[in-house]
Amino acid sequence: MKPHIDAGGVYVIAPTPFHPDGKIDESSIDRMTDFFIKAGADGMTVLGQLGEAPKMTHEESVSIVKRVLARAKFPIVVGVSAPGFAAMRALTQDVMALGAAGVMIAPPNTLRTDDSIVQYYKQASEAIGADVPFVIQDYPLTFSVQMTPTVIKRIVTENPACWFLKHEDWPGLDKISTLKGWERDGSMRKLPILTGNNALFLDFEMERGADGANTGYCFPDMLVDVVRLSKAGKRDEAHDLFDAHLPLIRYEQQPGPGMAVRKYVMMRRGIIASDTLRKPGAALSPAARGEVDYLMARLARTDPRAKV
Amino acid sequence: MKPHIDAGGVYVIAPTPFHPDGKIDESSIDRMTDFFIKAGADGMTVLGQLGEAPKMTHEESVSIVKRVLARAKFPIVVGVSAPGFAAMRALTQDVMALGAAGVMIAPPNTLRTDDSIVQYYKQASEAIGADVPFVIQDYPLTFSVQMTPTVIKRIVTENPACWFLKHEDWPGLDKISTLKGWERDGSMRKLPILTGNNALFLDFEMERGADGANTGYCFPDMLVDVVRLSKAGKRDEAHDLFDAHLPLIRYEQQPGPGMAVRKYVMMRRGIIASDTLRKPGAALSPAARGEVDYLMARLARTDPRAKV
Amino acid sequence: MKPHIDAGGVYVIAPTPFHPDGKIDESSIDRMTDFFIKAGADGMTVLGQLGEAPKMTHEESVSIVKRVLARAKFPIVVGVSAPGFAAMRALTQDVMALGAAGVMIAPPNTLRTDDSIVQYYKQASEAIGADVPFVIQDYPLTFSVQMTPTVIKRIVTENPACWFLKHEDWPGLDKISTLKGWERDGSMRKLPILTGNNALFLDFEMERGADGANTGYCFPDMLVDVVRLSKAGKRDEAHDLFDAHLPLIRYEQQPGPGMAVRKYVMMRRGIIASDTLRKPGAALSPAARGEVDYLMARLARTDPRAKV
Amino acid sequence: MKPHIDAGGVYVIAPTPFHPDGKIDESSIDRMTDFFIKAGADGMTVLGQLGEAPKMTHEESVSIVKRVLARAKFPIVVGVSAPGFAAMRALTQDVMALGAAGVMIAPPNTLRTDDSIVQYYKQASEAIGADVPFVIQDYPLTFSVQMTPTVIKRIVTENPACWFLKHEDWPGLDKISTLKGWERDGSMRKLPILTGNNALFLDFEMERGADGANTGYCFPDMLVDVVRLSKAGKRDEAHDLFDAHLPLIRYEQQPGPGMAVRKYVMMRRGIIASDTLRKPGAALSPAARGEVDYLMARLARTDPRAKV
């Protein structure tokens, strides 16, 4: 895997499955990885926000990556965001040595000026090794860091190892148009854009030029279909499928409970064994579980995958 | 209008219609007010965030309220949020004298501790007059102020003039359950909850016990129907109607462009004459207009109100 | 008064004196203005943060400016920061018509990207009138907006009416050096820099090239002396005087109580009649008053102005 | 070392000395530790913000603690703040096994409500072990988390292992008075308060009832003297000494460059060999070095310790 390599389709953001006692559930990792492969995913990102990365020790993080790599038939991206470069470098070195394709780096939530964001990615790339492909995570809703298209262009231009953009600005449709316009007119090199935000805008993001999805919605198989339909120009079909899932997408996109919703549905679908979150994460309230059940029952009327 | 009075159903959050040159469009105000009345709304809030309140002079604000009150057949709430109590009091006195039913107050985005939020509402109520009914706007996504249920209970208990809660915390379903539980078991007096967030969760908010909606989605007539169906226990019908609108609700809920989307649709529906925003607001990009047109065309397949 | 005009020396930031019942104290305004003139100030800024501007109605704001202008023998700057351009323009027009020399504009605390800050000042200047001299207030500690030197240069270059910089970034010494370097090498037009932050770094700010002070320390007469000594190259003397005041400067610079400290000392010095703050401001605790008294007593050993 | 044990005097916050190439400088650690002992310190905190903790790997952190413990004749506190509990627990277990006296925990900068802060410390204490003495770091200027006295009281009451408060709220004098008042009237158990903020208010903090200092000013020997003089009731002497250092204290308290100032002075004093910071930290500009030299030269007129 080299920098400048392409990326597209669906890179699933994976949760980290735990046993009810909080220990890592390795057979669920296997089952989940197999499920993503069978679903037609093009890659997989582990240890992101939704992988509860900050709740792992270094050793646990490495063990998860090793487990996934043993079965993976696609590129594995590893979230290595950390408050300092030492921990970031240590994890990067270990997972790249194991065979990861690249790493994902989110900006610390204290960055405020354009220059400080650009400088951060420059220093981070130097710290982890200038040949290690990295993904920019642009997620202001969670990180409070706002990157203009110009800032992203500067990062891409200064860092040959910049691999792709996990785009989850909100709102962000015009941002995709701007970046893809620069790519087309040659003022910026190719920058694959995979979108996040739990796919809340995937329908239109694809139409604006995104290359695919990089998110953790509990039906990654649906994401694969929407991306395929959209790329094939089947606009109405893509929207029909997307709209059927939108009530659940919207429900799952809530910060906080969203992670519990995702694990709960994946448990109900038989992909992982338990919906346990590590602290400070909390389980869904009974009312919330009932609502998710209701949404799945409604979805099952048109999408048989929701029949569980 | 007295404090402690009930509130329920749909209180529409109204935009402020402008002519293309930025002047206030009084005939559009009239047409819009009539439309809301005919749509079955139970009340109307003017000069909120979506009414572009900070862009008006005091005189303009008063003139808008006067215009609306001349036709209104339901309670009018006026947003009076301001960086200081002097401007808040001045506007409150003028609009209450004209016949407004109450005012809405958002917390300044610098409040951080529970006590500082409670104290702010205490001082604000004293500043505007302890007999003026006021609405709490709980909207952390925009104001960065997080109010726990306990904080809301303290505000309600300390201030007899607290009228209802404009609930738009996110996520917020369990918050409604908590507050309504306290109301039921008598540990908090009756606090009507009308929900905002562009109705993104209205379906479940009603089922958690909310009393209605207080938001500005461009089809307030749909909100009226969903609230009615939900109160009548017609769960599936409520969700069917809601889900048909969800792709547009979601699109309109984006911070920033959301206001432009709303005005654009209301213009297309013939409710207002122009979708002009005052600066620093910006018009929709052509791509965004096309997307809204597409969403309306899809919606028109099941909801004839979207045929325009 | 025209844009591009110079500025230097000490522009005192004035508090707004109130009677104990919260009404504006006009004779204290007169006495204070006379005191600043006699102290050798070169200008005066009213209705800044420390002038409790957000707590005034429009009419009160205008009346304060009128009162000060009646006696002023130097340029008067008026703080017109507001959440929207309508109120900003209304106040600007009224005070410029009365004879103010220019206005001061702080950025709203929601701005995050370089472009958004530059655009804000562009739109603000257009809104108030492109010929109205305006002052940039760069105060990240209070406004959470961080302006790099490049951003300031862009604002200065795009807006002929940009008059001077109220510099109170923290830390900010190297920022002054950078901006003054650009001024010297011709890559930026002349931008007078007057420093704030309650003068906490005035000693070195002057040595880095600042043109003076624009702050509200309760001994503006000392600021005048330090600026004069520093400009005359009397480094040690400037520091000796400054250091004698530093314990009180430091105490007064605390956000929150700082305003109360300032008014309390000015009351003790006989400059204003009462140290009343409007809500939500609070009086000093008895312990804090005792501490200020102690600091003044210590200061009086070397600076007779502190003997009161 | 058991919870509830007392703490007082000066617990020095130690920088982490590096060689110019960024490697940990172990002989400087030794020299620095010996210096603090000789200076009369009562304890020492390593791996705080100023110890550049986030820039260390786990192994480096452990090695630093081991090195310090080998010479320490007083309690060692270890900063273990981390984005998740797994890393926090791992470091705590290792350093407590080595003989550390306790750990310091700062709140993540995303906490907003009173309850979320209280819950965080509860969960953190459970995660590291309910018998491990921990220090609350209350530093809103850096962490953007505001703890009211009531919140601190709740943390102290719920967690027997809460050892002392590193108080660096700003402003914070009345907070000390409130907490010490509760301690005196028995409504809160004994909570030692050691103050930070680079000692900017140490003079009055001691008079408000603080038990000592817990900060990293480059003259910890001066802190020891001020605390001793203040406890002995020698108010004027304490202030005289403090005031002589205030110009440098103030200079060193600047966020960002402050760390470089501290290391530069400690290098000049011969306590550490190099003033190197790890990235993203930056060296002082030549102008800043000149300013620090000037401040030290002035200080040397009254305090011979500054003659270097």
Side-chain angles (χ1 to χ4, degrees):
Chain A
M1 175 73 35
K2 286 283 171 295
H4 287 194
I5 198 165
D6 209 1
V10 176
Y11 277 53
V12 184
I13 302 281
T16 302
F18 297 113
H19 289 292
D21 64 1
K23 293 225 179 75
I24 293 169
D25 175 356
E26 302 208 317
S27 32
S28 283
I29 293 181
D30 293 347
R31 200 156 61 244
M32 178 181 72
T33 306
D34 292 345
F35 177 85
F36 293 159
I37 294 169
K38 206 178 142 203
D42 300 278
M44 183 171 156
T45 299
V46 297
L47 297 173
Q49 285 275 313
L50 299 166
E52 302 179 57
K55 304 174 187 171
M56 310 295 157
T57 62
H58 178 89
E59 290 68 31
E60 288 177 326
S61 297
V62 172
S63 78
I64 291 165
V65 174
K66 193 177 285 181
R67 192 88 191 183
V68 167
L69 281 167
R71 314 174 84 84
K73 301 180 180 346
F74 43 39
I76 299 298
V77 183
V78 180
V80 296
S81 305
F85 292 140
M88 189 186 290
R89 176 172 38 225
L91 184 56
T92 299
Q93 286 175 342
D94 284 357
V95 301
M96 292 305 288
L98 289 170
V103 299
M104 178 168 71
I105 299 173
N109 67 6
T110 47
L111 300 181
R112 283 290 167 271
T113 68
D114 286 10
D115 287 349
S116 67
I117 301 167
V118 172
Q119 188 191 8
Y120 183 79
Y121 276 96
K122 185 82 185 160
Q123 293 187 333
S125 179
E126 286 168 8
I128 60 172
D131 59 332
V132 176
F134 71 86
V135 176
I136 304 170
Q137 186 172 14
D138 179 19
Y139 193 15
L141 193 64
T142 290
F143 302 124
S144 304
V145 175
Q146 294 188 12
M147 306 186 196
T148 60
T150 304
V151 162
I152 292 168
K153 185 182 169 186
R154 288 173 62 190
I155 297 171
V156 171
T157 304
E158 286 189 14
N159 299 283
C162 180
W163 181 14
F164 67 84
L165 174 67
K166 177 166 173 29
H167 165 282
E168 35 197 350
D169 197 353
W170 188 61
L173 293 170
D174 286 344
K175 192 175 204 171
I176 296 174
S177 296
T178 300
L179 289 168
K180 286 295 168 183
W182 289 343
E183 195 182 281
R184 269 196 310 277
D185 72 18
S187 54
M188 184 182 73
R189 72 164 163 88
K190 165 79 177 167
L191 173 70
I193 298 179
L194 305 185
T195 61
N197 253 329
N198 203 41
L200 192 63
F201 294 93
L202 181 60
D203 47 351
F204 291 114
E205 287 165 345
M206 289 307 299
E207 300 174 12
R208 294 291 186 111
D211 298 271
N214 188 201
T215 193
Y217 177 56
C218 54
F219 285 81
D221 26 358
M222 182 281 283
L223 302 179
V224 170
D225 291 344
V226 167
V227 167
R228 183 180 42 75
L229 289 167
S230 190
K231 286 188 173 171
K234 300 186 176 174
R235 188 184 201 191
D236 291 344
E237 283 179 63
H239 280 273
D240 287 344
L241 176 57
F242 179 84
D243 287 357
H245 281 262
L246 188 52
L248 181 55
I249 289 175
R250 171 256 346 216
Y251 198 95
E252 193 182 289
Q253 199 241 354
Q254 299 175 81
M259 273 167 56
V261 173
R262 182 164 303 141
K263 283 194 155 178
Y264 175 67
V265 176
M266 293 183 84
M267 180 183 70
R268 284 204 53 202
R269 296 188 73 192
I271 302 169
I272 60 177
S274 161
D275 62 350
T276 303
L277 295 172
R278 281 193 176 173
K279 285 186 186 176
L284 290 182
S285 67
R289 286 184 183 233
E291 288 161 351
V292 175
D293 290 343
Y294 180 70
L295 288 171
M296 286 185 70
R298 286 177 62 82
L299 178 57
R301 296 174 311 176
T302 58
D303 191 333
R305 291 178 286 215
K307 278 191 191 112
V308 290
Chain B
M1 174 74 34
K2 286 282 171 298
H4 287 194
I5 198 168
D6 209 359
V10 176
Y11 278 52
V12 184
I13 303 280
T16 302
F18 297 114
H19 289 292
D21 64 1
K23 293 226 178 74
I24 293 169
D25 175 357
E26 302 208 318
S27 32
S28 283
I29 293 181
D30 292 348
R31 201 156 62 245
M32 177 180 75
T33 307
D34 292 347
F35 178 85
F36 293 159
I37 294 168
K38 206 177 142 204
D42 300 279
M44 183 172 158
T45 299
V46 297
L47 297 173
Q49 286 275 313
L50 299 166
E52 301 179 58
K55 304 174 188 171
M56 310 296 157
T57 61
H58 178 88
E59 290 68 31
E60 289 176 326
S61 296
V62 171
S63 78
I64 290 164
V65 173
K66 193 179 286 182
R67 193 86 190 186
V68 167
L69 281 168
R71 312 175 85 84
K73 301 179 177 354
F74 41 39
I76 299 299
V77 182
V78 181
V80 295
S81 303
F85 293 141
M88 188 185 291
R89 176 172 38 225
L91 184 56
T92 299
Q93 286 175 343
D94 284 357
V95 301
M96 292 304 289
L98 289 171
V103 299
M104 179 168 70
I105 299 173
N109 66 6
T110 47
L111 300 181
R112 282 293 167 269
T113 67
D114 286 10
D115 286 349
S116 67
I117 302 168
V118 171
Q119 187 191 9
Y120 182 79
Y121 276 97
K122 184 83 186 161
Q123 292 186 333
S125 179
E126 286 168 8
I128 61 173
D131 59 332
V132 176
F134 71 86
V135 176
I136 304 170
Q137 186 172 14
D138 178 18
Y139 193 14
L141 194 65
T142 290
F143 302 124
S144 304
V145 175
Q146 293 187 12
M147 306 186 197
T148 60
T150 304
V151 162
I152 292 169
K153 186 181 168 186
R154 287 172 61 191
I155 297 171
V156 171
T157 304
E158 285 189 12
N159 298 284
C162 180
W163 180 14
F164 67 83
L165 174 68
K166 176 167 175 27
H167 165 283
E168 36 197 347
D169 197 352
W170 186 62
L173 293 170
D174 286 345
K175 193 176 204 171
I176 297 173
S177 296
T178 301
L179 290 169
K180 286 296 170 181
W182 288 343
E183 195 182 283
R184 268 196 310 277
D185 72 17
S187 54
M188 185 182 73
R189 71 162 163 90
K190 166 77 176 169
L191 173 71
I193 298 179
L194 305 186
T195 63
N197 255 326
N198 204 41
L200 192 64
F201 294 94
L202 181 60
D203 47 350
F204 291 115
E205 288 164 345
M206 290 306 299
E207 300 174 11
R208 293 291 186 112
D211 298 272
N214 187 202
T215 192
Y217 177 55
C218 55
F219 285 81
D221 26 356
M222 181 280 282
L223 302 180
V224 170
D225 290 344
V226 166
V227 167
R228 183 179 42 75
L229 289 167
S230 191
K231 285 188 173 171
K234 300 184 175 176
R235 188 183 199 190
D236 290 343
E237 283 178 65
H239 280 272
D240 288 343
L241 176 57
F242 179 84
D243 287 357
H245 281 263
L246 188 52
L248 182 55
I249 289 174
R250 169 262 341 219
Y251 198 96
E252 193 182 288
Q253 198 241 353
Q254 297 174 83
M259 272 167 57
V261 174
R262 182 164 303 143
K263 281 194 157 178
Y264 175 67
V265 176
M266 292 183 84
M267 180 184 70
R268 285 204 53 203
R269 296 189 73 191
I271 302 169
I272 61 177
S274 161
D275 62 350
T276 304
L277 294 172
R278 282 192 176 175
K279 283 187 187 174
L284 290 182
S285 67
R289 286 186 184 232
E291 289 162 350
V292 175
D293 290 344
Y294 180 70
L295 288 171
M296 284 185 72
R298 286 176 63 82
L299 178 58
R301 297 174 310 177
T302 58
D303 190 333
R305 289 178 287 214
K307 277 192 192 110
V308 289
Chain C
M1 176 72 36
K2 285 284 172 294
H4 287 194
I5 198 167
D6 209 1
V10 176
Y11 278 52
V12 184
I13 304 280
T16 302
F18 298 113
H19 289 292
D21 64 0
K23 293 224 178 75
I24 293 169
D25 174 356
E26 303 207 318
S27 33
S28 283
I29 292 181
D30 293 347
R31 199 155 64 244
M32 177 181 73
T33 306
D34 291 346
F35 178 84
F36 293 159
I37 294 168
K38 205 178 143 203
D42 299 279
M44 183 173 157
T45 299
V46 296
L47 297 172
Q49 285 275 313
L50 299 167
E52 301 179 59
K55 304 174 187 171
M56 310 295 156
T57 61
H58 178 88
E59 290 68 30
E60 288 176 327
S61 297
V62 172
S63 78
I64 290 164
V65 174
K66 193 177 286 181
R67 192 87 191 185
V68 167
L69 281 168
R71 313 174 84 83
K73 301 179 180 346
F74 42 39
I76 299 299
V77 183
V78 181
V80 296
S81 304
F85 292 140
M88 189 186 290
R89 175 172 39 226
L91 184 56
T92 299
Q93 287 176 342
D94 285 357
V95 301
M96 292 305 288
L98 289 171
V103 300
M104 179 167 70
I105 300 172
N109 67 5
T110 48
L111 300 181
R112 282 292 168 269
T113 68
D114 286 9
D115 287 349
S116 67
I117 301 168
V118 172
Q119 188 191 9
Y120 183 79
Y121 277 97
K122 185 83 185 159
Q123 292 187 333
S125 180
E126 286 168 8
I128 61 171
D131 59 332
V132 176
F134 71 85
V135 176
I136 304 171
Q137 186 172 14
D138 179 19
Y139 192 15
L141 193 65
T142 291
F143 302 125
S144 304
V145 175
Q146 293 188 12
M147 305 186 196
T148 60
T150 304
V151 162
I152 292 168
K153 186 182 169 186
R154 287 173 63 190
I155 296 171
V156 172
T157 304
E158 286 189 13
N159 298 283
C162 180
W163 181 14
F164 67 85
L165 175 67
K166 177 166 174 27
H167 165 282
E168 36 198 348
D169 197 353
W170 187 62
L173 292 170
D174 286 345
K175 192 175 205 171
I176 296 173
S177 296
T178 300
L179 289 168
K180 286 295 169 183
W182 289 343
E183 195 182 281
R184 269 196 310 277
D185 73 18
S187 54
M188 185 182 73
R189 71 164 163 88
K190 165 78 176 167
L191 174 70
I193 298 179
L194 304 186
T195 62
N197 254 329
N198 205 41
L200 191 65
F201 295 93
L202 181 60
D203 47 352
F204 291 115
E205 287 164 345
M206 289 306 299
E207 299 173 13
R208 294 289 187 113
D211 298 272
N214 187 202
T215 193
Y217 177 56
C218 53
F219 285 81
D221 27 357
M222 183 280 283
L223 302 178
V224 169
D225 290 344
V226 167
V227 167
R228 183 179 42 76
L229 290 167
S230 190
K231 285 189 173 170
K234 301 188 175 174
R235 190 184 199 190
D236 291 344
E237 283 177 64
H239 280 272
D240 288 343
L241 176 57
F242 179 84
D243 288 357
H245 281 262
L246 188 52
L248 182 55
I249 288 175
R250 170 255 348 215
Y251 199 95
E252 192 181 290
Q253 199 241 355
Q254 298 175 83
M259 273 167 56
V261 173
R262 182 164 304 141
K263 282 194 156 179
Y264 175 67
V265 176
M266 294 183 81
M267 180 183 70
R268 284 204 52 204
R269 295 189 74 191
I271 302 169
I272 60 176
S274 161
D275 62 350
T276 303
L277 295 171
R278 281 193 176 174
K279 283 188 186 175
L284 291 181
S285 66
R289 286 184 183 233
E291 288 161 351
V292 175
D293 290 343
Y294 180 69
L295 288 170
M296 285 185 71
R298 285 177 63 83
L299 178 58
R301 297 174 310 177
T302 59
D303 191 333
R305 289 178 287 215
K307 277 190 192 112
V308 291
Chain D
M1 175 74 33
K2 286 283 172 296
H4 286 195
I5 198 169
D6 209 359
V10 175
Y11 278 53
V12 184
I13 303 281
T16 302
F18 298 113
H19 289 293
D21 64 0
K23 294 227 178 74
I24 293 168
D25 175 356
E26 302 208 319
S27 33
S28 282
I29 293 182
D30 293 347
R31 200 156 63 246
M32 177 181 73
T33 306
D34 292 346
F35 177 86
F36 294 160
I37 295 169
K38 205 178 143 204
D42 300 279
M44 184 174 158
T45 300
V46 297
L47 296 172
Q49 285 276 312
L50 299 166
E52 302 180 56
K55 303 174 187 171
M56 310 296 157
T57 61
H58 178 87
E59 290 67 30
E60 289 177 324
S61 296
V62 171
S63 78
I64 291 165
V65 173
K66 194 178 285 180
R67 193 86 190 183
V68 167
L69 281 168
R71 313 174 85 83
K73 301 182 178 350
F74 42 39
I76 300 298
V77 183
V78 181
V80 295
S81 304
F85 293 139
M88 189 185 291
R89 175 171 39 223
L91 184 55
T92 298
Q93 286 175 344
D94 284 357
V95 301
M96 292 305 289
L98 289 170
V103 299
M104 179 167 71
I105 300 172
N109 66 6
T110 47
L111 300 181
R112 282 291 166 271
T113 67
D114 286 10
D115 287 349
S116 67
I117 302 168
V118 172
Q119 187 191 8
Y120 182 79
Y121 276 97
K122 184 83 185 161
Q123 292 187 333
S125 180
E126 286 168 9
I128 61 172
D131 59 332
V132 176
F134 71 87
V135 175
I136 304 171
Q137 186 172 14
D138 179 20
Y139 193 13
L141 195 64
T142 290
F143 302 124
S144 304
V145 175
Q146 293 187 12
M147 306 187 197
T148 60
T150 304
V151 162
I152 292 168
K153 185 181 169 186
R154 287 172 62 190
I155 297 171
V156 172
T157 303
E158 285 188 13
N159 298 283
C162 179
W163 181 13
F164 66 84
L165 174 68
K166 178 166 173 29
H167 165 282
E168 35 197 347
D169 197 354
W170 187 61
L173 293 171
D174 286 345
K175 193 176 203 171
I176 297 174
S177 296
T178 300
L179 290 169
K180 286 296 169 182
W182 289 343
E183 195 182 281
R184 268 196 311 277
D185 72 18
S187 54
M188 185 182 73
R189 71 163 164 89
K190 165 78 176 167
L191 173 71
I193 299 179
L194 304 185
T195 63
N197 254 327
N198 204 41
L200 192 63
F201 294 94
L202 181 60
D203 48 350
F204 291 116
E205 287 163 346
M206 290 306 299
E207 300 172 12
R208 293 291 186 113
D211 298 272
N214 187 201
T215 193
Y217 177 56
C218 54
F219 285 82
D221 26 356
M222 182 281 282
L223 302 179
V224 169
D225 291 344
V226 166
V227 167
R228 183 180 41 76
L229 289 167
S230 191
K231 284 189 174 171
K234 300 185 175 174
R235 188 184 200 189
D236 290 344
E237 283 178 64
H239 279 273
D240 287 344
L241 177 57
F242 179 84
D243 286 357
H245 281 262
L246 188 51
L248 182 55
I249 289 175
R250 169 259 344 218
Y251 198 96
E252 193 182 289
Q253 198 240 354
Q254 298 175 82
M259 272 166 57
V261 173
R262 182 165 304 141
K263 282 193 157 180
Y264 175 67
V265 176
M266 293 182 84
M267 180 183 69
R268 285 204 52 203
R269 296 189 73 190
I271 303 169
I272 61 177
S274 162
D275 62 349
T276 303
L277 295 172
R278 282 194 176 172
K279 282 188 187 173
L284 290 182
S285 67
R289 285 184 184 234
E291 289 161 350
V292 175
D293 290 343
Y294 180 70
L295 288 170
M296 284 184 71
R298 286 177 62 82
L299 178 57
R301 299 175 309 178
T302 58
D303 191 333
R305 290 177 287 215
K307 277 193 193 109
V308 289

